Amino acid sequence: MNFGVLEKPFSLLWLAKNLYHNLDVLNKFKLRAWVCVSQDYNLLRRILKSFVIKINGVELEKISEEDLERCLYKSLQGCSYLAVIDDVWQKEAWESLKRAFPDGNNGSRVIITTHIKEVAERSDERIHVHKLRFLRLDESWNLFCEKAFRKSNSNEELEKLGREMVEKCGGLHLPLLY
C-alpha cells in the first residue's frame, strides 16, 4: 500500500474529488472510502460506513475501537482499496488509523489531505508529500477559459471581465474551477 499526503491549498479538494470519482480509479479499486477528519478523530466507524462494510448484525456504535480496527483490517485484506482521509489536522489522527490499513502489495492507496505542513511531512516515513503550487497568470487564464467558455469563443467584453476575475484569484485554483 502506498501513502500520499497532499498539503492542502484550496484546489486540493477539487483534485482529490476528481481523482476519487475518475472512471479508471473506480475500475481499479474494489473498495473506496472518503472520510473527512477535521478535528473529529472517531474515524474507524465512519471509514467502515464509507467503505460500506457490513458487520453481521452488530451495530457499529457498540463495537470497541480495537474490534473496529480488526474488522476494517480483515475487510480490506486481499482487496484493492482507495481511502481518502481528508482534512487531517494532527498527525495523531493518522497514527491512530494506519494499523487498520493492510499492506498487501496489491496497489491499494491511502491519500491524506491536510493544510498543515507538519502533518504532511510527519504522518508516515513512507509518504510522498505533494504540495500544489499557485498557477501562473497564463495557466489561470487557460483553466478559466476551459471552464467558463468550454469550446465556444468569448466576446471582448466577457474576455475583459474574465481576465479581471482571473487576476483577482491570484493563482488560486479553486475559484477558477467552480
Side-chain angles (χ1 to χ4, degrees):
M1 164 184 54
N2 284 6
F3 297 92
V5 177
L6 297 165
E7 195 176 340
K8 189 173 184 171
F10 295 108
S11 63
L12 181 61
L13 184 60
W14 179 85
L15 175 64
K17 280 186 177 178
N18 277 311
L19 175 69
Y20 185 81
H21 294 292
N22 178 283
L23 187 58
D24 291 332
V25 171
L26 288 168
N27 292 328
K28 177 171 176 43
F29 297 104
K30 180 179 176 185
L31 296 171
R32 294 177 316 127
W34 183 293
V35 178
C36 184
V37 177
S38 293
Q39 294 187 46
D40 172 21
Y41 303 126
N42 187 8
L43 295 172
L44 287 169
R45 284 177 185 80
R46 290 185 12 228
I47 292 170
L48 283 162
K49 286 179 184 177
S50 187
F51 273 126
V52 192
I53 293 172
K54 303 281 188 233
I55 313 270
N56 297 335
V58 180
E59 291 181 41
L60 286 177
E61 287 69 27
K62 295 182 179 179
I63 299 176
S64 73
E65 288 291 311
E66 284 180 8
D67 288 340
L68 288 170
E69 185 180 309
R70 275 193 288 274
C71 178
L72 180 59
Y73 186 92
K74 286 178 184 176
S75 298
L76 296 178
Q77 201 166 25
C79 294
S80 61
Y81 62 87
L82 169 65
V84 178
I85 313 297
D86 182 38
D87 199 21
V88 177
W89 284 54
Q90 295 180 359
K91 70 176 186 161
E92 291 78 17
W94 172 241
E95 292 290 327
S96 69
L97 290 174
K98 68 181 176 181
R99 287 189 316 265
F101 291 96
D103 184 0
N105 292 320
N106 60 2
S108 294
R109 299 286 186 266
V110 176
I111 298 173
I112 302 166
T113 68
T114 183
H115 62 277
I116 301 168
K117 185 177 181 179
E118 292 75 28
V119 171
E121 293 175 340
R122 297 186 180 131
S123 58
D124 194 285
E125 68 278 353
R126 299 177 290 174
I127 58 118
H128 180 75
V129 176
H130 300 277
K131 182 175 170 119
L132 297 179
R133 64 173 174 80
F134 288 104
L135 295 175
R136 295 185 319 264
L137 190 57
D138 64 312
E139 293 171 319
S140 294
W141 175 247
N142 290 337
L143 180 59
F144 177 81
C145 288
E146 182 183 310
K147 294 297 181 180
F149 303 128
R150 308 275 177 194
K151 303 275 187 217
S152 65
N153 293 325
S154 65
N155 64 37
E156 257 182 62
E157 193 175 312
L158 282 178
E159 183 174 331
K160 182 181 177 196
L161 180 61
R163 286 193 183 274
E164 287 174 19
M165 291 169 60
V166 165
E167 256 185 69
K168 288 181 180 180
C169 290
L172 293 174
H173 305 71
L174 187 62
L176 300 172
L177 295 171
Y178 293 103

